[in-house]
């Protein structure tokens, strides 16, 4: 069904793999449409409890396909805007996916590739992966990825790396918060991603969706009465939910909760 990506679902895990290695997984309109569709389907599929974003070949993702970007510049302003919105919407779907998302980064990521990573909840890469926000070097700007990238690395580092377009190492990406973990090689990458998946699969699926919404609702907000009231309402609702009751009862009865397979 897809030509630029591969999707699979196994034991609660949905995997979307960017599969355009000859272009370092750069995304054009076709890849964006497929990715956007696949994220939406994974989000709606009850068999998927965790979503992994991975890719094939040397690079994780070389960002926007510059042939496509250049082509879009020649479109009518309406078509040009429609195209940009499609990319922004794909990133939003990934960032707001109700399932936890894990980026498996086996190689370099540039521009929009950094954006994809920033949209995922958890990011793990090999030591040799490199990163850059190269847009200004190309005379463009990291516009639609900016809310996600700034949320991940903060304004201070966004100023440096968006303005200099310098390459930075996985160690630096780890230091500034783009990555959660660095590992030595692909085998260690699979192991580390597997451990995170196991942790996520142990958690209540509805609680995970609620928790993602909670983070989105609270992050960057000053501690106002409205925020405090919102958090009180959320826990009130969630602890009375079926899953909340089951999780707490299972703990007190010293058994596994119903959402864990074989419980
Ligand atoms: N858009 C379109 N094509 C791209 C691309 C992109 N973002 N990134 C790589 N490619 C293409 C190259 O043009 C090349 O095409 P060709 O075989 O027709 O010449 C092919 O992929 C292989 O790339 P090449 O540069 O020869 O490989 P490399 O291993 O020496 O370098 C990169 C790989 C990713 C480091 C390098 O291609 C690069 O810097 N790409 C631009 C990344 C970028 O700045 N992205 C942000 C865009 S907003």
């Amino acid at each position: 069904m897809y030509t630029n990506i591969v999707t699979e679902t196994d034991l609660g895990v949905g995997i979307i793999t960017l599969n355009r290695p000859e272009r370092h997984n750069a995304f054009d309109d076709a890849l964006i449409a497929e990715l956007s569709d696949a994220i939406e389907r994974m989000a709606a599929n009850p068999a998927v409890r965790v979503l992994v974003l991975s890719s094939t070949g040397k690079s994780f993702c070389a960002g926007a396909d510059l042939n496509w970007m250049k082509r879009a510049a020649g479109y009518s302003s309406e078509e040009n805007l429609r195209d940009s919105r499609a990319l922004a919407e794909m990133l939003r779907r990934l960032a707001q996916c109700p399932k936890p998302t894990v980026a498996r980064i086996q190689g370099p990521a540039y521009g929009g590739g950094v954006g994809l990573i920033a949209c995922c909840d958890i990011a793990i890469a090999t030591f040799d992966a490199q990163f850059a926000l190269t847009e200004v070097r190309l005379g463009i700007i990291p516009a639609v990825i900016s809310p996600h990238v700034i949320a991940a690395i903060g304004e201070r580092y966004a100023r440096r790396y968006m303005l200099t377009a310098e390459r930075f190492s996985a160690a630096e990406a780890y230091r500034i918060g783009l990555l959660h973990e660095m590992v030595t090689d692909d085998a260690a990458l699979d192991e580390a991603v597997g451990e995170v998946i196991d942790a996520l699969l142990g958690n209540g699926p509805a609680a995970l969706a609620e928790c993602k919404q909670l983070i989105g609702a609270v992050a960057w907000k000053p501690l106002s009465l409205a925020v405090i009231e919102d958090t009180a309402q959320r826990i009130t609702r969630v602890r009375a939910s079926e899953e909340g009751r089951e999780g707490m009862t299972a703990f007190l009865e010293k058994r596994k909760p119903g959402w864990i397979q074989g419980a």
Side-chain angles (χ1 to χ4, degrees), residues 174-186:
Y174 174 72
R175 192 182 72 82
I176 66 176
L178 181 65
L179 299 178
H180 294 98
E181 203 172 329
M182 277 183 301
V183 295
T184 46
D185 53 27
D186 283 4

Side-chain angles (χ1 to χ4, degrees), residues 22-24 26 58 62 64-67 110-111 134-135 138 140:
E22 70 290 352
R23 282 282 171 272
H24 295 265
K58 222 166 87 174
D65 184 317
L66 295 166
N67 296 303
Y110 302 106
T134 54
E135 284 85 348
L138 302 161
I140 55 177

